[in-house]
Amino acid sequence: MGRLWVNDREMVKILTNANAQPVPRGRDEYMGDVATLQADARGRVLFYVNRGSVYRSDGQNLERFWPKEKMSVGFAEVIYSTQDYVFIGGDKGLVRYDGRRFQMLTGERFPFLSGVSGIAQTPSGETWIHSLAGVTRVATAALQRAFDTGNAELDIKTYGMSDGVPGAPVYWNRSSLEADAAGRIWVTTSGGVAMFDPRVPAANRVPPPVKILRVLADGHSFEAMHGLQLPAGSQRITVEYAGLSFADPAKVKFRYRLVGVDKDWAEGGASRSSTYTFLAPGTYRFRVLAANNDGVWNRQGAELTFVVPPTFLQSRLFYLACALAIVILVVLAFRWRLSYLTDRIRDRMQVQASERERIARDLHDTLLQSVQGMLMRFHGLSLHPGLDDGTRQVISDTLDEAEADLTESREQVAGLRSARIVALHSAIEAFAEKLRRSTTSEIIVKMSGEERILERIVAEEAAKIAAEALANAVRHAGASTITADVEYLVDRLVVRIADDGVGVPAQVLANGGRQGHFGLRGMKERAAYAGGSLEIKAGTGIGTSLILEVPARHAYGRGSSRNWLGL
């Protein structure tokens, strides 16, 4: 553009024949010393203000190119511009700007990019970088791929003092490294200026052999052999290796990777060991590559497989034991909860039984005594001489049946029966026998399973539910066959009453019974009182099926056998 830009440390100026014209600061006024100055491919200048931002100016306008708060390279030591990109090197790495975004390769990932002071690219496709590591040569295409992917393998060649670099990098306001028209590289250092000619072929083209020497596990040394078994629970593992080169052993560089742990190859530099901590139990494969002093890599490298066995606390047996312990705790908690609920229900049933006994005593002292007196009076009437033999026989049969009912009532009220009813089906059969005298329906009572002792309240309520269901079937169903089936199952008691009669209208089932009748509602209340559930399946013209189910923990006595869950 024919203009000369100068930096007087306080501001950037354009030098003309007449004077030095300061670049306008505009609205975005920069403060501090101008530390780095570089022209781009379009004739503008990029400059970095000490501990501030990077600015760009065309001589008339000023813009903040890279704000201080977004800068990630630390101190911007060098700015280098090509036709397509702007590179900014600094303390922490190298940044590329492609016109849209800033992308960075860190010195932590690539050590040769720490403290960059100079950048140059040659027409032969090489990028030269001057940094604290020395002068490094890398293929431009490979460097661009590293920026594009964020992480890539880079083949580099680094020159240091043993190669003729006279000193450390010099951090001025320009790049400490330049390429001339012939492709030669000029480097400014604290010890003077050095020149490299990339056209001179490297003297050492032999890749160095690589050998893994030993493995250290928590300070204990082990010989490197495939399938090496390390002590269980090893927390700090170090692999030591070497690259054999007689030309310049100190310049041998390494690249390593622990398969399954390292996502990509790690640049090891000249270090001859790699350390890993807190590896999980398992089998691992460690690989290491080496390059000689001229950057020629041994691509085959060396490989070692080693095993970190689990401790008991990391073993499958321990996890299985933990899982089993959890299952046992869950089962115990379930059994405790089940026992607690069962005891609560049993206590409630006991309270209710006590109340029933009180009522029974009252009935014995009042109602039953009155009924006994009435029976005696009717017996006296049956002896009246004016009665015919037929009437006298009917009265006698009725008195016998009433005496039997009264005797049974007295037994229940006075507690003369056993506290537990052994044969529920027998009680149902006895009631069915009474019904057979007054109906033409066939009534069948069956029992299946091993007969068990029942809780008194369960037996009484089940017998009354069955009696109510049989009576309803006789009175309302018009059935030809009525079946009562008692099943003593391991996990529950089931009483099933079924008939082939006219069924029950759906509306009656939905309302819980007919208006003014309490049979269905009463049966359901008795089922709940016994700790069970009642289901009625019916429909118009398809018969009725009534099913009472009581869980074993409520139905059977404490002496009955239970399964291991306490059911």
Side-chain angles (χ1 to χ4, degrees):
M1 300 293 293
R3 293 182 294 183
L4 179 63
W5 300 77
V6 296
N7 172 21
D8 68 358
R9 305 294 294 178
E10 293 185 358
M11 63 173 53
V12 178
K13 300 178 181 179
I14 300 177
L15 188 63
T16 65
N17 292 332
N19 57 17
Q21 179 181 355
V23 172
R25 294 184 177 183
R27 295 180 181 177
D28 197 355
E29 181 175 346
Y30 57 88
M31 302 295 292
D33 296 340
V34 177
T36 305
L37 180 68
Q38 175 68 42
D40 66 8
R42 297 176 56 181
R44 298 168 297 186
V45 292
L46 296 165
F47 59 92
Y48 167 66
V49 175
N50 188 11
R51 306 190 185 282
S53 303
V54 176
Y55 296 87
R56 181 165 61 186
S57 174
D58 59 3
Q60 299 296 326
N61 303 297
L62 179 72
E63 62 174 319
R64 184 177 295 187
F65 180 74
W66 196 12
K68 172 185 176 180
E69 57 271 15
K70 295 184 178 180
M71 291 183 63
S72 54
V73 295
F75 197 96
E77 306 287 1
V78 60
I79 301 174
Y80 181 78
S81 178
T82 67
Q83 191 67 33
D84 300 315
Y85 302 103
V86 173
F87 295 92
I88 301 176
D91 302 333
K92 300 179 181 180
L94 181 65
V95 168
R96 183 187 74 174
Y97 177 71
D98 60 3
R100 296 178 297 109
R101 57 178 177 167
F102 293 88
Q103 297 166 287
M104 181 175 179
L105 299 180
T106 66
E108 181 179 355
R109 174 69 178 85
F110 300 99
F112 73 94
L113 294 180
S114 294
V116 176
S117 67
I119 308 171
Q121 292 184 345
T122 64
S124 60
E126 294 178 332
T127 297
W128 292 76
I129 298 174
H130 194 196
S131 66
L132 294 175
V135 178
T136 300
R137 178 175 61 186
V138 61
T140 300
L143 184 64
Q144 301 292 17
R145 282 195 301 272
F147 276 112
D148 292 336
T149 62
N151 201 348
E153 181 180 335
L154 292 177
D155 290 334
I156 61 174
K157 165 63 177 173
T158 300
Y159 302 91
M161 296 188 67
S162 61
D163 300 297
V165 179
V170 176
Y171 298 96
W172 291 349
N173 64 350
R174 283 188 56 81
S175 174
S176 63
L177 184 147
E178 296 286 350
D180 63 17
R184 293 172 300 185
I185 304 302
W186 298 84
V187 183
T188 304
T189 72
S190 59
V193 178
M195 185 272 290
F196 293 87
D197 191 346
R199 294 169 296 181
V200 177
N204 186 3
R205 305 305 301 170
V206 179
V210 189
K211 181 177 178 59
I212 297 177
L213 303 177
R214 62 173 181 166
V215 178
L216 300 176
D218 294 334
H220 299 284
S221 178
F222 299 89
E223 182 182 353
M225 61 178 67
H226 285 288
L228 172 64
Q229 287 267 354
L230 297 177
S234 297
Q235 296 186 355
R236 183 179 179 86
I237 299 172
T238 300
V239 182
E240 295 183 350
Y241 41 82
L244 308 180
S245 176
F246 294 102
D248 193 347
K251 299 298 292 291
V252 175
K253 298 184 295 296
F254 297 91
R255 184 177 291 152
Y256 62 89
R257 181 186 181 195
L258 187 60
V259 179
V261 176
D262 296 324
K263 182 179 179 181
D264 297 290
W265 289 94
E267 299 291 339
S271 175
R272 277 145 172 84
S273 66
S274 301
T275 300
Y276 295 89
T277 56
F278 302 106
L279 292 178
T283 300
Y284 295 91
R285 184 162 59 97
F286 180 81
R287 297 191 62 198
V288 59
L289 308 179
N292 65 16
N293 57 309
D294 285 316
V296 179
W297 284 92
N298 179 340
R299 295 294 179 181
Q300 183 175 359
E303 183 176 301
L304 172 67
T305 300
F306 63 90
V307 179
V308 180
T311 63
F312 174 72
L313 297 181
Q314 296 172 320
S315 65
R316 293 184 179 179
L317 179 61
F318 176 73
Y319 293 139
L320 180 61
C322 291
L324 182 60
I326 292 174
V327 171
I328 293 175
L329 288 176
V330 171
V331 170
L332 292 177
F334 174 74
R335 290 192 60 180
W336 176 84
R337 179 65 177 172
L338 196 61
S339 176
Y340 171 75
L341 293 177
T342 301
D343 289 342
R344 286 195 61 185
I345 293 175
R346 184 172 286 113
D347 292 342
R348 187 167 65 246
M349 293 172 68
Q350 186 62 41
V351 171
Q352 293 170 341
S354 300
E355 179 64 16
R356 292 180 63 182
E357 289 177 359
R358 184 190 65 79
I359 296 173
R361 287 192 298 270
D362 293 343
L363 288 175
H364 178 270
D365 295 338
T366 56
L367 180 62
L368 294 183
Q369 296 292 350
S370 299
V371 172
Q372 179 65 36
M374 293 175 63
L375 290 178
M376 294 177 64
R377 293 177 61 187
F378 274 105
H379 181 69
L381 289 174
S382 67
L383 299 177
H384 195 279
L387 294 177
D388 59 81
D389 293 339
T391 302
R392 183 176 288 108
Q393 185 62 42
V394 171
I395 293 176
S396 178
D397 292 342
T398 302
L399 287 175
D400 289 341
E401 184 175 338
E403 284 286 352
D405 289 341
L406 183 61
T407 299
E408 182 179 357
S409 298
R410 279 176 173 164
E411 289 177 351
Q412 291 191 19
V413 170
L416 296 179
R417 277 188 165 186
S418 170
R420 304 182 188 276
I421 297 179
V422 177
L424 173 62
H425 62 282
S426 298
I428 297 176
E429 173 63 36
F431 184 77
E433 181 60 29
K434 295 180 182 179
L435 292 177
R436 292 189 184 103
R437 302 172 188 172
S438 59
T439 182
T440 58
S441 300
E442 181 182 9
I443 303 176
I444 302 172
V445 179
K446 299 185 296 182
M447 188 271 289
S448 60
E450 181 182 355
E451 182 180 338
R452 293 170 178 260
I453 298 175
L454 300 178
E455 291 286 354
R456 185 185 67 181
I457 292 179
V458 173
E460 291 176 355
E461 298 301 337
K464 291 177 180 178
I465 291 173
E468 179 74 16
L470 291 173
N472 286 340
V474 170
R475 288 195 296 265
H476 306 298
S480 60
T481 302
I482 304 172
T483 301
D485 189 6
V486 179
E487 296 181 86
Y488 295 95
L489 302 178
V490 174
D491 60 338
R492 65 190 184 280
L493 169 71
V494 179
V495 179
R496 184 178 290 103
I497 311 295
D499 65 66
D500 57 0
V502 297
V504 180
Q507 187 64 34
V508 174
L509 289 178
N511 294 334
R514 291 182 171 85
Q515 186 70 25
H517 294 262
F518 304 96
L520 293 181
R521 185 179 300 111
M523 285 190 289
K524 289 185 176 180
E525 290 176 355
R526 290 183 183 276
Y529 176 57
S533 61
L534 185 69
E535 181 181 8
I536 302 176
K537 298 180 180 179
T540 304
I542 62 173
T544 303
S545 177
L546 180 146
I547 303 171
L548 168 67
E549 291 191 1
V550 183
R553 61 181 182 273
H554 300 318
Y556 303 142
R558 294 179 184 269
S560 300
S561 60
R562 300 186 181 186
N563 59 26
W564 72 286
L565 284 177
L567 298 176

